[in-house]
């Protein structure tokens, strides 16, 4: 999802090409998600844009807008895959174009467009908003242009750490952290607390501040809060200054290594040798360095850490697992020699009970893939009347209840 830096990039190109121009034509398709879910429609949006002069462009966190000479003004959010394109210029960052087919890069209008604008100039400036997954939102805000941030949806969002440095202070951060009891990663993702920080920015901020993502936000020391504030300002400002171009991010940033989870041939360590791990916090996957970001206070319970293993480590782990059956077999031989009591044998069988043998039909049904491509997550017997081993009960699901 585009975050604070990517939004700054989009606004940069709108100011460069569109601000000061008059829109001659506007076209928008009818999309019940992109327009409809925020109270407008494609035709209504196009009518509001036609003939208007663009006075300025601005942003707050993940939202950006155009101020026209007359209201209503367009307010946009990229969602997961939205972007602004300008004909004849490449507005996106390098990785964006790497995911596209060569013939699609300069195609106009671009694929998945939702609206197009064309100015009166000669040559005209042409702008398009695209969104393949349709989680983006385009709305109209009917208010004075200079007061747009006092209206919904901006008024419900927290300060922008780059734009609103007069509001986002160390005191503001401390007050908010002391008044909440959630993992610090979850707090950073809360747009009502601070606008513009998404998953990768939050991970980078916490890595630079050496704070654990699971730790409760109200259980940090004053010194740690001070480091967090400095880290938020540093990461957000630098990312915005670079217009979200990851090719220009510092080599030591976590950003450059956090995307390689599970990829063959990729390193499981940072250049300084620190190992990486993943946890689920606030409904999002968090990447962090356990030996750098140590827990210094209370953490949310039940969160499972998953270390990234290199190919060498995976091979070593596989060797270790391969040795375990031999040990188990040897243990069983010893048990037979010692001839333990029946009760002891029963307890051991309960701990490592083997599943009943299944017919070939049952195995085929379990491993087959349905037409929709989704494999069944449970075993379903091919013969509901098959004999059940002693001591076992057939579940209602297998009996067709």
């Amino acid at each position: 999802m585009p975050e604070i830096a990517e939004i700054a990039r989009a606004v940069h190109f709108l100011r460069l090409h569109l601000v000061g121009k008059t829109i001659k034509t506007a076209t928008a398709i009818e999309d019940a998600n992109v327009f409809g879910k925020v109270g407008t429609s494609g035709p209504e949006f196009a009518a509001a844009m036609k003939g208007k002069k663009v006075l300025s462009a601005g942003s707050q966190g993940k939202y950006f807008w155009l101020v026209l000479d007359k209201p209503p003004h367009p307010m946009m959010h990229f969602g997961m895959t939205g972007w602004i394109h300008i004909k004849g210029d490449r507005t996106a960052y390098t990785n964006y174009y790497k995911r596209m087919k060569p013939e699609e890069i300069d195609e106009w209008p671009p694929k998945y467009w939702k609206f197009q604008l064309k100015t009166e100039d000669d040559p005209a400036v042409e702008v398009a908003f695209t969104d393949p997954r349709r989680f983006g939102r385009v709305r109209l805000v009917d208010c004075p242009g200079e007061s747009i941030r006092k209206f919904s949806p901006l008024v419900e969002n927290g300060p922008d750490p780059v734009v609103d440095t007069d509001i986002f202070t160390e005191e503001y951060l401390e007050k908010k952290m002391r008044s909440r009891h959630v993992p610090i990663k979850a707090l950073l993702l809360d747009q009502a607390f601070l606008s513009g920080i998404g998953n990768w920015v939050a991970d980078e901020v916490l890595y630079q501040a050496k704070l654990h993502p699971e730790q409760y936000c109200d259980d940090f020391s004053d010194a740690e809060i001070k480091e967090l504030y400095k880290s938020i300002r540093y990461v957000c400002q630098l990312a915005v200054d670079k217009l979200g171009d990851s090719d220009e991010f510092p080599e030591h940033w976590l950003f450059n290594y956090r995307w390689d989870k599970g990829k063959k041939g990729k390193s499981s360590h940072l250049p300084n040798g620190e190992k990486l791990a993943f946890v689920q916090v606030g409904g999002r996957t968090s990447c962090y360095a356990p030996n750098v970001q140590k827990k210094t206070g209370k953490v949310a319970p039940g969160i499972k850490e998953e270390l990234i293993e290199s190919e060498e480590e995976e091979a070593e782990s596989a060797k270790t697992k391969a040795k375990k059956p031999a040990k188990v077999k040897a243990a069983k031989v010893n048990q037979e020699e010692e001839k333990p009591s029946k009760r002891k044998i029963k307890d051991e069988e309960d701990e490592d009970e083997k599943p009943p043998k299944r017919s070939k039909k049952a195995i085929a049904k379990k491993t087959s893939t349905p037409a929709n491509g989704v494999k069944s997550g449970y075993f379903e017997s091919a013969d509901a009347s098959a004999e059940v081993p002693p001591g076992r009960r057939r579940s209602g699901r297998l009996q067709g209840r």
Side-chain angles (χ1 to χ4, degrees), residues 4 38 68 71 103 117 121 177 197 287 320 344:
I4 187 171
V38 285
L68 308 178
E103 62 271 18
L117 307 176
D121 305 84
M177 288 177 66
I197 294 182
C287 180
T320 303
K344 184 178 179 181

Side-chain angles (χ1 to χ4, degrees), residues 38-306:
V38 285
T40 188
S41 66
E44 185 180 357
F45 174 84
M49 299 296 291
K50 187 177 179 181
K52 302 290 181 61
K53 184 176 181 178
V54 181
L55 302 182
S56 65
S59 66
Q60 179 182 324
K62 298 180 183 181
Y63 284 97
F64 66 104
W65 61 88
L66 297 174
V67 173
L68 308 178
D69 55 352
K70 293 179 183 178
H73 312 284
M75 174 78 62
M76 291 153 281
H77 190 291
F78 281 146
M80 295 293 291
T81 57
W83 196 251
I84 283 287
H85 301 262
I86 296 175
K87 190 175 182 179
D89 201 349
R90 294 191 177 181
T91 59
Y93 37 93
T94 307
N95 285 335
Y96 184 93
Y97 295 110
K98 287 180 179 178
R99 296 192 296 266
M100 299 176 69
K101 296 177 182 178
E103 62 271 18
E104 293 177 350
I105 294 177
D106 297 314
E107 179 184 359
W108 199 268
K111 198 173 181 180
Y112 306 115
W113 68 272
K114 302 303 173 185
F115 72 73
Q116 295 183 61
L117 307 176
K118 189 174 183 179
T119 68
E120 292 180 343
D121 305 84
D122 187 17
V125 174
E126 295 186 54
V127 178
F129 180 101
T130 63
D131 186 10
R133 297 185 64 185
R134 302 170 65 218
F135 287 109
R137 299 291 179 260
V138 178
R139 72 187 78 203
L140 295 170
V141 182
D142 194 355
C143 70
E146 64 275 10
S147 305
I148 196 167
R149 295 190 65 186
K150 296 178 181 179
F151 290 79
S152 186
L154 301 181
V155 71
E156 291 91 5
N157 282 256
D160 183 301
V162 173
V163 176
D164 301 316
T165 53
D166 57 328
I167 301 173
F168 179 62
T169 62
E170 191 176 324
E171 292 72 27
Y172 173 91
L173 178 62
E174 181 178 6
K175 182 180 178 181
K176 293 292 184 181
M177 288 177 66
R178 300 295 188 209
S179 65
R180 301 282 298 276
H181 185 66
V182 296
I184 185 60
K185 172 67 180 286
L187 181 68
L188 290 175
L189 294 177
D190 184 356
Q191 300 302 296
F193 156 68
L194 202 58
S195 291
I197 294 182
N199 207 34
W200 80 257
V201 173
D203 284 352
E204 192 66 55
V205 162
L206 292 172
Y207 172 70
Q208 298 297 331
K210 298 180 172 61
L211 303 181
H212 198 286
E214 297 174 77
Q215 189 165 325
Y216 283 117
C217 63
D218 58 347
D219 207 22
F220 287 100
S221 67
D222 292 344
E224 288 173 322
I225 293 175
K226 187 178 186 71
E227 283 302 311
L228 179 59
Y229 174 75
K230 288 165 59 178
S231 180
I232 293 172
R233 288 284 301 117
Y234 160 66
V235 172
C236 292
Q237 186 67 64
L238 183 56
V240 167
D241 289 345
K242 299 298 183 182
L243 297 178
D245 188 349
S246 58
D247 290 347
E248 297 189 30
F249 288 171
E251 183 66 23
H252 68 276
W253 272 25
L254 179 70
F255 177 94
N256 299 303
Y257 312 96
R258 70 181 303 279
W259 312 100
D260 295 334
K261 179 183 178 183
K263 291 183 179 179
K264 189 175 181 180
K266 296 295 183 179
S267 174
S268 62
H269 299 76
L270 294 171
N272 60 10
E274 294 296 344
K275 194 170 182 63
L276 298 178
F278 287 90
V279 289
Q280 285 283 333
V281 183
R284 304 296 298 277
T285 299
S286 299
C287 180
Y288 74 110
N291 291 333
V292 174
Q293 299 165 256
K294 296 182 178 180
K295 301 170 185 176
T296 61
K298 296 177 182 178
V299 299
I303 298 178
K304 185 179 179 181
E305 176 183 275
E306 180 184 351

